[in-house]
Amino acid sequence: MPLIEVGHLQKVYKEDEEGTPTVALRDVSFSLNAGEFLAIMGPSGSGKSTLLHILGFLERQSGGTYKFDGKAMEDYPDEELARVRNKKMGFVFQTFNLLAHTSVLENVKLPLLYSGIKESEWDEMARRAIESVGLSHRLGHQSSQLSGGEKQRVAIARSLINNPQIIFADEPTGNLDSKSGQAVMTVLQDLNLKEGRTIVLVTHETYTAEHAERIIHMKDGAIESDRRVSIRRTGNEFIK
C-alpha cells in the first residue's frame, strides 16, 4: 500500500468573500511508496508549495482525495491531524525556524514537548538525531553561532527527532550558497539511501532535484510530468 495516495486533488483560494477564486491545484493525482525520494519542481505559482502543505496536513484540499498511510484526510479530525503531523511527519523549511539564542541540543528537542515521551529520554534522542546529520561537535553551540548550512542540518535533525515516516523539505537550500546547499542535500540523500527515509522535496533548482529518484514537474497547478531519475547526483558523483 502506498504511503501517500493523491487523487484528482484541487485547491481553490478566495481573496475575500467577493473575490475571484484562485485555483492553486487542479486535478493532481499520484502515489508515493515508503522509502522513495520525490522532488517536486515548478516555477513560482505552480502550486508545488501548496501541494506540500496539503501533503503535510498543514491545510486541507478543496476537492479530490488525499490518503496518508491508508487513511483519507477528511477522516482525520483537526486534533488528530496535529498529532499525526507531530509524530509521523518531519518538516524542513527554507528559513530554518530555529531559536537564535538556544543551543543546538535544545532546538532539536523542541518537538518532544508535545510528544508524550518521558523527558528523561529527550537528550539521548536529540543527540542521536544531531549525530545523524554530522553535528555532534556543535551540540552546545547556540544556533546564532552556526553557518547557514549548519542551521539547516540542525533543522533536519529536529525533523528526525520523533522518527517520522516522512520528511517534507520546502526549498531547504534556498537560503544557502552552493557548497552549503550540497552538504544539506548530501544529508537528505543519505537519510534516504542509508536509512530508507521517505522524503518529499520542493525545489526550483534542477541540481537539487537531481538528488531525488523521482521528479514531478508542476505548472499552473497541475502535474506536467512525473519521471524517474535514471542517474542521481550524490556528492560530486552520480549513482544509477
Side-chain angles (χ1 to χ4, degrees), residues 29-187:
S29 298
F30 69 95
S31 62
L32 183 73
N33 294 321
E36 284 195 75
F37 188 163
L38 170 68
I40 302 173
M41 295 192 69
S44 178
S46 62
K48 58 187 187 295
S49 288
T50 298
L51 176 58
L52 183 138
H53 289 169
I54 293 173
L55 296 180
F57 284 3
L58 297 171
E59 55 183 297
R60 294 182 183 267
Q61 74 269 32
S62 304
T65 59
Y66 170 36
K67 290 184 179 180
F68 178 78
D69 206 15
K71 185 173 179 179
M73 190 178 191
E74 54 266 28
D75 293 336
Y76 287 94
D78 288 343
E79 298 78 9
E80 191 175 358
L81 284 181
R83 183 186 64 79
V84 172
R85 194 165 55 236
N86 182 257
K87 291 183 176 295
K88 296 187 177 183
M89 300 175 176
F91 296 88
V92 182
F93 298 102
Q94 181 175 344
T95 52
F96 318 134
N97 296 335
L98 302 179
L99 299 179
H101 301 297
T102 304
S103 72
V104 167
L105 185 67
E106 295 301 319
N107 267 288
V108 172
K109 290 195 304 187
L110 282 174
L112 297 176
L113 291 170
Y114 312 101
S115 68
I117 296 170
K118 293 179 181 179
E119 190 171 353
S120 59
E121 300 177 20
W122 291 5
D123 277 8
E124 181 57 30
M125 292 174 67
R127 288 174 189 274
R128 288 199 302 267
I130 293 165
E131 182 180 1
S132 73
V133 300
L135 283 179
S136 294
H137 62 295
R138 295 293 201 190
L139 203 68
H141 285 67
Q142 294 186 351
S143 63
S144 59
Q145 298 173 304
L146 305 179
S147 68
E150 288 173 331
K151 288 178 181 178
Q152 194 60 288
R153 285 155 65 191
V154 173
I156 294 171
R158 184 182 56 196
S159 79
L160 295 171
I161 192 69
N162 279 322
N163 193 28
Q165 287 180 265
I166 189 167
I167 297 171
F168 294 106
D170 192 356
E171 299 281 7
T173 62
N175 283 339
L176 305 177
D177 59 50
S178 58
K179 184 177 180 180
S180 298
Q182 176 61 56
V184 166
M185 290 310 303
T186 297
V187 168

Side-chain angles (χ1 to χ4, degrees), residues 6-10 25-28 51 54 61 63-66:
V6 174
H8 307 289
L9 203 67
Q10 297 181 50
L25 295 176
R26 59 184 84 232
D27 199 31
V28 171
L51 176 58
I54 293 173
Q61 74 269 32
T65 59
Y66 170 36

